[in-house]
Coordinates of all heavy atoms in Angstrom, one line a residue:
M1 N 97.6 77.1 125.2 CA 98.5 78.0 124.4 C 99.2 77.2 123.3 O 99.6 77.8 122.3 CB 99.5 78.6 125.5 CG 100.5 79.5 124.9 SD 99.8 81.0 124.3 CE 101.2 81.8 123.5
L2 N 99.4 75.9 123.5 CA 100.1 75.1 122.5 C 99.3 75.1 121.2 O 99.8 75.2 120.1 CB 100.4 73.7 123.0 CG 101.2 72.8 122.1 CD1 102.6 73.4 121.9 CD2 101.3 71.4 122.7
V3 N 98.0 74.9 121.3 CA 97.1 74.8 120.1 C 97.1 76.2 119.4 O 97.2 76.3 118.2 CB 95.7 74.4 120.5 CG1 94.8 74.5 119.3 CG2 95.7 73.0 121.1
E4 N 97.1 77.3 120.2 CA 97.1 78.6 119.6 C 98.4 78.9 118.9 O 98.5 79.5 117.8 CB 96.9 79.7 120.7 CG 95.4 79.8 121.1 CD 95.2 81.0 122.1 OE1 95.7 82.1 121.8 OE2 94.6 80.7 123.1
T5 N 99.5 78.4 119.5 CA 100.8 78.6 118.9 C 100.9 77.9 117.5 O 101.4 78.4 116.5 CB 101.9 78.1 119.8 OG1 101.9 78.7 121.0 CG2 103.3 78.3 119.2
F6 N 100.3 76.7 117.5 CA 100.3 75.9 116.2 C 99.4 76.7 115.2 O 99.7 76.8 114.0 CB 99.7 74.5 116.4 CG 99.6 73.7 115.2 CD1 100.8 73.2 114.6 CD2 98.4 73.4 114.6 CE1 100.7 72.5 113.4 CE2 98.3 72.7 113.4 CZ 99.4 72.2 112.8
A7 N 98.3 77.3 115.7 CA 97.4 78.1 114.8 C 98.1 79.3 114.3 O 97.9 79.7 113.2 CB 96.1 78.4 115.5
F8 N 98.9 80.0 115.2 CA 99.7 81.1 114.7 C 100.7 80.8 113.6 O 100.8 81.5 112.6 CB 100.4 81.8 115.9 CG 99.6 82.3 117.0 CD1 100.1 82.3 118.3 CD2 98.3 82.7 116.8 CE1 99.3 82.8 119.4 CE2 97.5 83.2 117.9 CZ 98.0 83.2 119.2
A9 N 101.4 79.6 113.8 CA 102.3 79.2 112.8 C 101.6 78.8 111.5 O 102.1 79.2 110.4 CB 103.1 78.0 113.4
L10 N 100.5 78.2 111.6 CA 99.7 77.9 110.4 C 99.2 79.1 109.7 O 99.3 79.2 108.5 CB 98.5 77.0 110.8 CG 97.8 76.3 109.7 CD1 98.7 75.4 108.9 CD2 96.6 75.5 110.2
A11 N 98.8 80.1 110.5 CA 98.4 81.4 109.8 C 99.6 82.0 109.1 O 99.4 82.6 108.0 CB 97.8 82.3 110.9
G12 N 100.8 82.0 109.7 CA 102.0 82.5 109.1 C 102.3 81.8 107.8 O 102.7 82.4 106.8
V13 N 102.2 80.5 107.8 CA 102.5 79.7 106.6 C 101.5 80.1 105.5 O 101.8 80.2 104.4 CB 102.5 78.2 106.9 CG1 102.5 77.4 105.7 CG2 103.7 77.9 107.8
A14 N 100.2 80.2 105.9 CA 99.2 80.5 105.0 C 99.4 81.9 104.4 O 99.3 82.1 103.1 CB 97.8 80.5 105.6
V15 N 99.8 82.9 105.2 CA 100.0 84.2 104.7 C 101.3 84.2 103.8 O 101.2 84.8 102.7 CB 100.2 85.2 105.8 CG1 100.8 86.5 105.4 CG2 98.9 85.5 106.5
G16 N 102.3 83.6 104.2 CA 103.5 83.5 103.4 C 103.3 82.8 102.0 O 103.8 83.3 101.0
A17 N 102.6 81.7 102.1 CA 102.3 81.0 100.8 C 101.4 81.8 99.9 O 101.6 81.9 98.7 CB 101.7 79.6 101.1
A18 N 100.4 82.5 100.5 CA 99.5 83.3 99.7 C 100.3 84.5 99.0 O 100.0 84.8 97.8 CB 98.4 83.9 100.5
V19 N 101.2 85.1 99.8 CA 102.0 86.2 99.2 C 102.9 85.7 98.1 O 103.0 86.3 97.0 CB 102.8 86.8 100.3 CG1 103.9 87.6 99.8 CG2 101.9 87.7 101.2
L20 N 103.5 84.6 98.3 CA 104.4 84.1 97.3 C 103.7 83.6 96.0 O 104.2 83.6 94.9 CB 105.3 82.9 97.8 CG 106.4 83.4 98.8 CD1 107.1 82.2 99.4 CD2 107.4 84.3 98.1
L21 N 102.5 83.0 96.2 CA 101.7 82.6 95.0 C 101.1 83.7 94.3 O 100.9 83.7 93.1 CB 100.7 81.5 95.5 CG 101.3 80.2 95.9 CD1 100.1 79.3 96.5 CD2 102.0 79.5 94.8
S22 N 100.7 84.8 95.1 CA 100.0 85.9 94.4 C 100.9 86.8 93.7 O 100.6 87.2 92.6 CB 99.2 86.7 95.5 OG 98.3 85.9 96.2
W23 N 102.0 87.2 94.3 CA 103.0 88.2 93.8 C 104.4 87.7 93.9 O 105.2 88.2 94.6 CB 102.9 89.5 94.5 CG 101.5 90.1 94.4 CD1 100.9 90.6 93.3 CD2 100.6 90.3 95.5 NE1 99.6 91.1 93.7 CE2 99.5 90.9 95.0 CE3 100.7 90.0 96.9 CZ2 98.4 91.2 95.9 CZ3 99.6 90.3 97.7 CH2 98.5 90.9 97.2
P24 N 104.8 86.6 93.1 CA 106.1 86.1 93.3 C 107.2 87.1 92.8 O 108.3 87.1 93.3 CB 106.1 84.8 92.4 CG 105.0 85.0 91.4 CD 104.0 85.9 92.1
A25 N 106.9 87.9 91.8 CA 107.9 88.9 91.3 C 108.2 90.0 92.3 O 109.2 90.6 92.2 CB 107.5 89.4 90.0
Y26 N 107.3 90.2 93.2 CA 107.5 91.3 94.2 C 108.4 90.9 95.3 O 108.8 91.8 96.1 CB 106.1 91.7 94.8 CG 105.3 92.6 93.9 CD1 105.4 92.7 92.5 CD2 104.4 93.5 94.5 CE1 104.7 93.5 91.7 CE2 103.6 94.3 93.7 CZ 103.8 94.3 92.3 OH 103.0 95.1 91.5
F27 N 108.7 89.7 95.5 CA 109.5 89.2 96.6 C 110.8 88.5 96.1 O 110.9 87.3 96.1 CB 108.7 88.3 97.5 CG 107.6 88.9 98.2 CD1 106.3 89.0 97.6 CD2 107.8 89.6 99.4 CE1 105.3 89.7 98.2 CE2 106.7 90.2 100.0 CZ 105.5 90.3 99.4
P28 N 111.8 89.3 95.6 CA 113.0 88.7 95.1 C 114.0 88.2 96.2 O 115.0 87.6 95.9 CB 113.7 89.9 94.3 CG 113.2 91.1 95.1 CD 111.8 90.8 95.6
A29 N 113.7 88.5 97.5 CA 114.5 88.1 98.6 C 114.7 86.6 98.7 O 115.6 86.1 99.3 CB 114.1 88.7 99.9
G30 N 113.7 85.8 98.2 CA 113.8 84.4 98.3 C 112.6 83.8 99.2 O 112.1 84.5 100.0
R31 N 112.3 82.6 98.9 CA 111.2 82.0 99.6 C 111.4 81.7 101.0 O 110.5 82.0 101.9 CB 110.8 80.7 98.9 CG 110.3 80.9 97.5 CD 109.9 79.6 96.8 NE 109.7 79.7 95.4 CZ 108.6 80.2 94.8 NH1 107.6 80.6 95.6 NH2 108.5 80.3 93.5
P32 N 112.6 81.2 101.4 CA 112.8 81.0 102.9 C 112.7 82.2 103.7 O 112.2 82.2 104.8 CB 114.2 80.4 102.9 CG 114.5 79.8 101.6 CD 113.7 80.7 100.6
L33 N 113.2 83.4 103.2 CA 113.2 84.6 104.0 C 111.7 85.1 104.1 O 111.3 85.5 105.1 CB 114.0 85.7 103.3 CG 114.0 87.0 104.0 CD1 114.6 86.9 105.4 CD2 114.8 88.1 103.2
T34 N 111.0 85.0 103.0 CA 109.6 85.4 103.0 C 108.8 84.6 103.9 O 108.0 85.1 104.7 CB 109.0 85.4 101.6 OG1 109.9 86.2 100.8 CG2 107.6 86.0 101.5
L35 N 108.9 83.3 103.8 CA 108.1 82.4 104.7 C 108.6 82.5 106.1 O 107.7 82.5 107.0 CB 108.2 80.9 104.2 CG 107.4 80.6 103.0 CD1 107.7 79.1 102.5 CD2 105.9 80.7 103.3
G36 N 109.9 82.6 106.4 CA 110.4 82.8 107.7 C 109.9 84.1 108.4 O 109.5 84.1 109.6
T37 N 109.8 85.1 107.6 CA 109.3 86.4 108.1 C 107.8 86.3 108.4 O 107.3 86.8 109.5 CB 109.5 87.5 107.1 OG1 110.9 87.7 106.8 CG2 109.0 88.8 107.6
A38 N 107.1 85.6 107.6 CA 105.6 85.5 107.8 C 105.3 84.6 109.0 O 104.5 85.0 109.9 CB 105.0 84.8 106.6
V39 N 106.0 83.5 109.2 CA 105.8 82.6 110.3 C 106.3 83.3 111.6 O 105.6 83.3 112.6 CB 106.5 81.3 110.1 CG1 106.5 80.4 111.4 CG2 105.8 80.5 109.0
G40 N 107.5 83.9 111.6 CA 108.0 84.5 112.8 C 107.2 85.7 113.2 O 106.9 85.8 114.5
S41 N 106.7 86.5 112.3 CA 105.9 87.6 112.7 C 104.5 87.2 113.2 O 103.9 87.8 114.1 CB 105.8 88.6 111.6 OG 105.1 88.0 110.5
A42 N 104.0 86.1 112.6 CA 102.7 85.5 113.1 C 102.9 85.0 114.5 O 102.0 85.2 115.4 CB 102.2 84.4 112.2
L43 N 104.0 84.3 114.8 CA 104.2 83.7 116.1 C 104.3 84.9 117.2 O 103.7 84.8 118.2 CB 105.4 82.8 116.2 CG 105.2 81.5 115.5 CD1 106.6 80.8 115.4 CD2 104.2 80.6 116.3
L44 N 105.1 85.9 116.8 CA 105.4 86.9 117.8 C 104.1 87.8 118.0 O 103.8 88.0 119.2 CB 106.5 87.8 117.2 CG 106.9 89.0 118.1 CD1 107.5 88.5 119.4 CD2 107.9 89.9 117.4
S45 N 103.5 88.2 116.9 CA 102.3 89.0 117.1 C 101.1 88.2 117.7 O 100.3 88.8 118.5 CB 101.9 89.6 115.8 OG 101.5 88.6 114.9
G46 N 101.0 86.9 117.4 CA 100.0 86.1 118.1 C 100.2 86.0 119.5 O 99.3 86.0 120.3
T47 N 101.5 85.8 119.9 CA 101.8 85.7 121.4 C 101.5 87.0 122.1 O 100.9 87.0 123.2 CB 103.2 85.3 121.6 OG1 103.5 84.1 120.9 CG2 103.6 85.1 123.0
V48 N 101.8 88.1 121.5 CA 101.5 89.4 122.1 C 100.0 89.6 122.2 O 99.5 90.1 123.2 CB 102.2 90.5 121.3 CG1 101.7 91.9 121.7 CG2 103.7 90.5 121.4
A49 N 99.3 89.3 121.1 CA 97.8 89.4 121.2 C 97.2 88.5 122.2 O 96.2 88.9 122.9 CB 97.3 89.1 119.8
H50 N 97.7 87.3 122.3 CA 97.2 86.4 123.3 C 97.3 86.9 124.7 O 96.4 86.9 125.5 CB 98.0 85.0 123.3 CG 97.6 84.1 124.4 ND1 96.5 83.3 124.4 CD2 98.3 83.8 125.5 CE1 96.5 82.6 125.5 NE2 97.5 82.9 126.2
F51 N 98.5 87.5 125.1 CA 98.6 88.1 126.4 C 97.9 89.4 126.6 O 97.5 89.7 127.6 CB 100.1 88.2 126.8 CG 100.7 86.8 127.0 CD1 101.7 86.3 126.2 CD2 100.4 86.1 128.1 CE1 102.2 85.0 126.4 CE2 100.9 84.8 128.4 CZ 101.8 84.3 127.5
A52 N 97.8 90.1 125.5 CA 97.1 91.4 125.6 C 95.6 91.2 125.8 O 95.0 92.0 126.5 CB 97.3 92.2 124.3
L53 N 95.1 90.2 125.2 CA 93.7 89.8 125.3 C 93.4 88.9 126.5 O 92.3 88.4 126.7 CB 93.1 89.2 124.0 CG 93.1 90.2 122.8 CD1 92.7 89.4 121.6 CD2 92.2 91.4 123.0
D54 N 94.4 88.6 127.2 CA 94.4 87.8 128.4 C 93.9 86.3 128.1 O 93.4 85.6 129.0 CB 93.5 88.4 129.5 CG 93.8 88.0 130.9 OD1 95.0 87.6 131.1 OD2 93.0 88.1 131.8
G55 N 94.1 85.9 126.9 CA 93.8 84.5 126.5 C 92.3 84.2 126.4 O 92.0 83.1 126.2
R56 N 91.5 85.2 126.4 CA 90.0 85.0 126.4 C 89.5 84.9 125.0 O 88.4 84.3 124.8 CB 89.3 86.2 127.1 CG 89.7 86.3 128.5 CD 88.9 87.4 129.2 NE 89.4 87.6 130.5 CZ 89.1 88.7 131.2 NH1 88.3 89.6 130.8 NH2 89.6 88.8 132.4
Y57 N 90.1 85.4 124.0 CA 89.6 85.4 122.7 C 90.6 84.8 121.7 O 91.4 85.6 121.0 CB 89.3 86.9 122.2 CG 88.3 87.6 123.2 CD1 88.8 88.5 124.0 CD2 87.0 87.3 123.2 CE1 88.0 89.2 124.9 CE2 86.1 87.9 124.1 CZ 86.6 88.9 124.9 OH 85.8 89.5 125.8
P58 N 90.7 83.5 121.6 CA 91.7 82.9 120.7 C 91.5 83.2 119.3 O 92.5 83.4 118.5 CB 91.6 81.4 121.0 CG 90.3 81.2 121.7 CD 89.9 82.5 122.3
A59 N 90.3 83.3 118.8 CA 90.0 83.6 117.4 C 90.5 85.0 117.1 O 91.1 85.2 116.0 CB 88.5 83.5 117.1
A60 N 90.3 86.0 118.0 CA 90.9 87.3 117.7 C 92.4 87.3 117.7 O 93.0 88.1 116.9 CB 90.3 88.3 118.8
S61 N 93.0 86.5 118.6 CA 94.5 86.5 118.6 C 95.0 85.9 117.3 O 96.0 86.4 116.8 CB 94.9 85.6 119.7 OG 94.6 86.1 121.0
I62 N 94.3 84.9 116.7 CA 94.7 84.3 115.5 C 94.5 85.3 114.3 O 95.4 85.4 113.4 CB 94.0 83.0 115.2 CG1 94.4 82.0 116.3 CG2 94.2 82.5 113.8 CD1 93.5 80.7 116.3
A63 N 93.4 86.1 114.4 CA 93.2 87.1 113.3 C 94.2 88.2 113.4 O 94.8 88.6 112.4 CB 91.8 87.7 113.5
V64 N 94.6 88.6 114.6 CA 95.6 89.6 114.8 C 96.9 89.1 114.3 O 97.7 89.8 113.6 CB 95.7 90.1 116.2 CG1 97.0 90.9 116.5 CG2 94.5 90.9 116.6
S65 N 97.2 87.8 114.5 CA 98.4 87.2 114.1 C 98.5 87.2 112.6 O 99.6 87.5 112.0 CB 98.5 85.8 114.6 OG 99.5 85.0 114.0
A66 N 97.4 86.9 111.9 CA 97.4 86.8 110.4 C 97.6 88.2 109.8 O 98.4 88.4 108.9 CB 96.2 86.1 109.9
V67 N 96.9 89.2 110.4 CA 97.0 90.5 109.8 C 98.4 91.1 110.0 O 99.0 91.7 109.1 CB 95.9 91.4 110.5 CG1 96.1 92.9 110.1 CG2 94.5 91.0 110.0
A68 N 98.9 90.9 111.2 CA 100.3 91.4 111.5 C 101.3 90.7 110.7 O 102.3 91.4 110.2 CB 100.6 91.3 113.0
S69 N 101.1 89.5 110.4 CA 102.1 88.7 109.6 C 102.0 89.3 108.2 O 103.1 89.4 107.5 CB 101.7 87.2 109.6 OG 102.5 86.5 108.7
A70 N 100.8 89.5 107.6 CA 100.7 90.1 106.3 C 101.4 91.5 106.2 O 102.1 91.8 105.2 CB 99.3 90.2 105.9
M71 N 101.2 92.3 107.2 CA 101.8 93.6 107.2 C 103.3 93.6 107.3 O 104.0 94.3 106.6 CB 101.2 94.5 108.4 CG 99.8 94.8 108.2 SD 99.0 95.9 109.4 CE 100.0 96.0 110.8
L72 N 103.8 92.7 108.2 CA 105.3 92.7 108.3 C 105.9 92.0 107.1 O 107.1 92.3 106.7 CB 105.7 92.0 109.6 CG 105.4 92.8 110.8 CD1 105.7 92.0 112.1 CD2 106.2 94.1 110.8
T73 N 105.2 91.0 106.5 CA 105.8 90.4 105.3 C 105.8 91.4 104.1 O 106.7 91.3 103.2 CB 105.0 89.1 104.9 OG1 105.0 88.3 106.1 CG2 105.6 88.4 103.8
S74 N 104.9 92.3 104.1 CA 104.8 93.3 103.0 C 106.0 94.2 103.0 O 106.3 94.9 102.0 CB 103.5 94.1 103.0 OG 103.5 95.0 104.1
V75 N 106.7 94.3 104.1 CA 107.9 95.1 104.1 C 109.0 94.6 103.2 O 109.8 95.4 102.6 CB 108.5 95.2 105.6 CG1 109.8 95.8 105.7 CG2 107.5 95.9 106.5
L76 N 109.0 93.3 102.9 CA 109.9 92.7 102.0 C 109.6 92.9 100.5 O 110.4 92.6 99.7 CB 110.0 91.2 102.3 CG 110.5 90.7 103.6 CD1 110.4 89.2 103.7 CD2 111.9 91.2 103.9
A77 N 108.4 93.4 100.2 CA 108.0 93.5 98.8 C 108.8 94.6 98.1 O 109.1 95.6 98.7 CB 106.5 93.9 98.8
R78 N 109.2 94.3 96.9 CA 110.0 95.2 96.1 C 109.3 95.4 94.7 O 109.7 94.8 93.7 CB 111.4 94.7 95.9 CG 112.3 94.6 97.1 CD 112.6 96.0 97.6 NE 113.2 96.9 96.6 CZ 114.4 97.1 96.4 NH1 115.3 96.4 97.0 NH2 114.8 97.9 95.4
P79 N 108.2 96.1 94.6 CA 107.5 96.3 93.4 C 108.3 97.0 92.3 O 108.1 96.8 91.1 CB 106.3 97.1 93.7 CG 106.6 97.7 95.0 CD 107.6 96.9 95.7
D80 N 109.4 97.7 92.7 CA 110.2 98.4 91.7 C 111.1 97.4 91.0 O 111.5 97.7 89.9 CB 111.0 99.5 92.3 CG 111.9 99.0 93.5 OD1 111.5 98.0 94.1 OD2 113.0 99.5 93.7
L81 N 111.3 96.2 91.5 CA 112.1 95.2 90.9 C 111.3 94.2 90.1 O 111.9 93.3 89.6 CB 113.0 94.5 91.9 CG 114.0 95.4 92.6 CD1 114.9 94.6 93.6 CD2 115.0 96.1 91.6
A82 N 110.0 94.3 90.2 CA 109.1 93.3 89.5 C 109.3 93.3 88.0 O 109.6 94.4 87.5 CB 107.7 93.5 89.9
A83 N 109.2 92.2 87.4 CA 109.4 92.1 86.0 C 108.4 93.0 85.2 O 107.2 92.9 85.5 CB 109.3 90.7 85.5
G84 N 108.9 93.7 84.3 CA 108.0 94.5 83.4 C 107.6 95.8 84.0 O 106.8 96.5 83.4
R85 N 108.1 96.2 85.1 CA 107.7 97.5 85.7 C 108.9 98.4 85.7 O 110.1 98.0 85.9 CB 107.3 97.3 87.2 CG 106.0 96.6 87.3 CD 105.6 96.5 88.7 NE 105.5 97.9 89.3 CZ 104.5 98.4 89.8 NH1 103.4 97.8 89.9 NH2 104.5 99.7 90.3
A86 N 108.7 99.6 85.3 CA 109.8 100.6 85.3 C 110.0 101.2 86.7 O 109.1 101.2 87.5 CB 109.4 101.8 84.3
P87 N 111.2 101.6 87.0 CA 111.4 102.2 88.3 C 110.6 103.4 88.5 O 110.2 104.1 87.5 CB 112.9 102.5 88.3 CG 113.5 101.7 87.2 CD 112.4 101.4 86.3
A88 N 110.4 103.8 89.7 CA 109.6 105.0 90.0 C 110.3 106.3 89.5 O 109.6 107.1 89.0 CB 109.4 105.2 91.5
H89 N 111.5 106.4 89.6 CA 112.2 107.5 89.0 C 113.6 107.1 88.5 O 114.2 106.1 89.0 CB 112.3 108.7 89.9 CG 113.2 108.5 91.1 ND1 114.6 108.3 91.0 CD2 113.0 108.4 92.4 CE1 115.1 108.1 92.1 NE2 114.2 108.2 93.0
R90 N 114.1 107.8 87.6 CA 115.4 107.4 87.0 C 116.3 108.6 87.1 O 115.9 109.7 86.9 CB 115.3 107.0 85.6 CG 114.5 105.7 85.4 CD 114.5 105.3 84.0 NE 113.6 104.2 83.8 CZ 113.1 103.8 82.7 NH1 113.4 104.4 81.6 NH2 112.3 102.8 82.7
H91 N 117.6 108.3 87.4 CA 118.6 109.4 87.4 C 119.2 109.5 86.0 O 119.5 108.5 85.4 CB 119.7 109.1 88.4 CG 119.2 109.1 89.8 ND1 118.9 110.3 90.5 CD2 118.9 108.1 90.7 CE1 118.5 110.0 91.7 NE2 118.5 108.7 91.9
R92 N 119.4 110.7 85.6 CA 120.1 110.9 84.4 C 121.6 110.8 84.7 O 122.1 111.3 85.7 CB 119.9 112.3 83.8 CG 118.5 112.4 83.1 CD 118.5 113.6 82.3 NE 117.7 114.6 83.1 CZ 117.8 115.9 83.0 NH1 118.5 116.4 82.0 NH2 117.0 116.7 83.7
P93 N 122.4 110.1 83.8 CA 123.8 110.0 84.0 C 124.5 111.4 83.9 O 124.0 112.2 83.1 CB 124.3 109.1 82.9 CG 123.2 109.1 81.9 CD 121.9 109.4 82.6
H94 N 125.4 111.6 84.7 CA 126.1 112.9 84.7 C 127.1 112.9 83.6 O 127.7 112.0 83.2 CB 126.9 113.1 86.0 CG 126.0 113.2 87.2 ND1 125.1 114.3 87.4 CD2 125.8 112.5 88.3 CE1 124.5 114.2 88.5 NE2 124.9 113.0 89.1
R95 N 127.1 114.1 83.0 CA 128.1 114.3 81.9 C 129.5 114.7 82.6 O 129.5 115.4 83.6 CB 127.7 115.4 81.0 CG 126.5 115.1 80.1 CD 126.1 116.2 79.3 NE 125.4 117.2 80.2 CZ 125.5 118.5 80.0 NH1 126.1 119.0 78.9 NH2 124.9 119.3 80.8
A96 N 130.5 114.3 82.0 CA 131.8 114.6 82.6 C 132.0 116.2 82.6 O 131.9 116.8 81.5 CB 132.9 114.0 81.8
G97 N 132.3 116.7 83.7 CA 132.6 118.1 83.8 C 131.3 119.0 83.8 O 131.5 120.2 83.6
A98 N 130.2 118.5 84.0 CA 128.9 119.3 83.9 C 128.8 120.2 85.0 O 128.1 121.2 84.9 CB 127.7 118.4 83.8
H99 N 129.4 119.9 86.2 CA 129.2 120.7 87.3 C 130.4 121.6 87.6 O 130.5 122.2 88.7 CB 128.9 119.8 88.5 CG 127.6 119.1 88.4 ND1 126.4 119.8 88.5 CD2 127.3 117.8 88.2 CE1 125.4 118.9 88.3 NE2 126.0 117.7 88.1
R100 N 131.3 121.7 86.8 CA 132.5 122.6 87.0 C 132.1 124.0 86.7 O 131.3 124.3 85.9 CB 133.6 122.1 86.1 CG 134.2 120.8 86.4 CD 135.4 120.5 85.6 NE 135.7 119.1 85.8 CZ 136.4 118.4 85.0 NH1 136.8 118.9 83.8 NH2 136.7 117.1 85.3
A101 N 132.8 124.9 87.4 CA 132.5 126.3 87.2 C 132.8 126.7 85.8 O 133.9 126.4 85.3 CB 133.3 127.1 88.2
G102 N 131.9 127.5 85.2 CA 132.1 128.0 83.9 C 131.8 127.1 82.7 O 131.8 127.5 81.6
T103 N 131.4 125.9 83.0 CA 131.1 125.0 81.9 C 129.6 124.7 81.8 O 129.2 124.1 80.8 CB 131.8 123.6 82.1 OG1 131.3 123.0 83.4 CG2 133.3 123.7 82.1
H104 N 128.8 125.3 82.7 CA 127.4 125.1 82.5 C 126.8 126.2 81.6 O 127.4 127.2 81.4 CB 126.7 125.1 83.9 CG 126.8 126.4 84.6 ND1 128.0 126.7 85.3 CD2 126.0 127.5 84.7 CE1 127.8 128.0 85.8 NE2 126.6 128.4 85.5
R105 N 125.6 125.9 81.1 CA 125.0 126.9 80.2 C 124.3 128.0 81.0 O 123.8 127.7 82.1 CB 123.9 126.2 79.4 CG 124.4 125.2 78.4 CD 123.2 124.7 77.6 NE 123.7 123.7 76.7 CZ 122.9 123.0 76.0 NH1 121.6 123.2 76.0 NH2 123.3 122.0 75.2
R106 N 124.4 129.1 80.5 CA 123.8 130.2 81.2 C 122.5 130.6 80.4 O 122.5 130.6 79.1 CB 124.7 131.5 81.2 CG 125.9 131.2 82.1 CD 126.6 132.4 82.5 NE 127.6 132.1 83.5 CZ 128.9 132.4 83.3 NH1 129.3 133.0 82.3 NH2 129.7 132.1 84.3
H107 N 121.5 130.9 81.1 CA 120.2 131.2 80.4 C 120.3 132.7 80.0 O 120.8 133.6 80.6 CB 119.1 131.1 81.4 CG 118.9 129.7 81.9 ND1 118.4 128.7 81.1 CD2 119.2 129.1 83.1 CE1 118.3 127.6 81.7 NE2 118.8 127.8 83.0
R108 N 119.7 132.9 78.8 CA 119.7 134.3 78.3 C 118.4 134.9 78.8 O 117.3 134.4 78.8 CB 119.6 134.3 76.8 CG 120.8 133.7 76.1 CD 120.7 133.8 74.6 NE 121.8 133.2 74.0 CZ 122.0 133.1 72.7 NH1 121.0 133.5 71.9 NH2 123.0 132.5 72.2
H109 N 118.6 136.1 79.3 CA 117.4 136.9 79.7 C 116.8 137.7 78.5 O 117.5 138.2 77.7 CB 117.9 137.9 80.8 CG 118.4 137.2 82.0 ND1 117.5 136.5 82.9 CD2 119.6 137.1 82.5 CE1 118.2 136.0 83.9 NE2 119.5 136.3 83.7
A110 N 115.5 137.7 78.5 CA 114.9 138.3 77.3 C 114.8 139.8 77.4 O 115.1 140.5 78.3 CB 113.4 137.8 77.2

């Protein structure tokens, strides 16, 4: 189990590094949080996979660890804050008094 735990941590570091090198603008939370999330989720999911598979398939446990680490690390992604990208939707600023009774425009019926 000790060797598998090291492999789970290594898979988490690999996923975290790949994410930060591939899309650095998508992860504004910071490198320690992103790497910590990747390693922590890899360790946790790898341990769960190890016991779920009864320790018989270590390669499958490591693969599950890497995939779960990638999925949980993607929760931190903020593509709306990436450089050069417009937000998904924008709110128009409210005009002063636009919602008061009697100040809104009425549509003319034809």
Side-chain angles (χ1 to χ4, degrees):
M1 178 70 186
L2 183 63
V3 174
E4 283 184 49
T5 304
F6 181 71
F8 298 151
L10 189 62
V13 168
V15 166
V19 161
L20 287 174
L21 290 174
S22 299
W23 302 292
Y26 281 25
F27 294 90
R31 294 182 193 283
L33 179 65
T34 305
L35 283 174
T37 301
V39 171
S41 62
L43 288 171
L44 181 65
S45 62
T47 303
V48 169
H50 171 78
F51 287 112
L53 296 173
D54 209 21
R56 295 182 190 167
Y57 306 104
S61 296
I62 294 170
V64 166
S65 169
V67 169
S69 175
M71 289 185 347
L72 289 174
T73 304
S74 72
V75 172
L76 298 175
R78 294 292 309 268
D80 58 328
L81 297 180
R85 292 186 54 125
H89 68 67
R90 296 180 185 166
H91 293 286
R92 283 193 259 159
H94 293 295
R95 291 177 288 148
H99 294 290
R100 293 185 189 156
T103 60
H104 63 278
R105 291 185 186 174
R106 295 196 171 123
H107 296 287
R108 293 183 186 177
H109 296 289

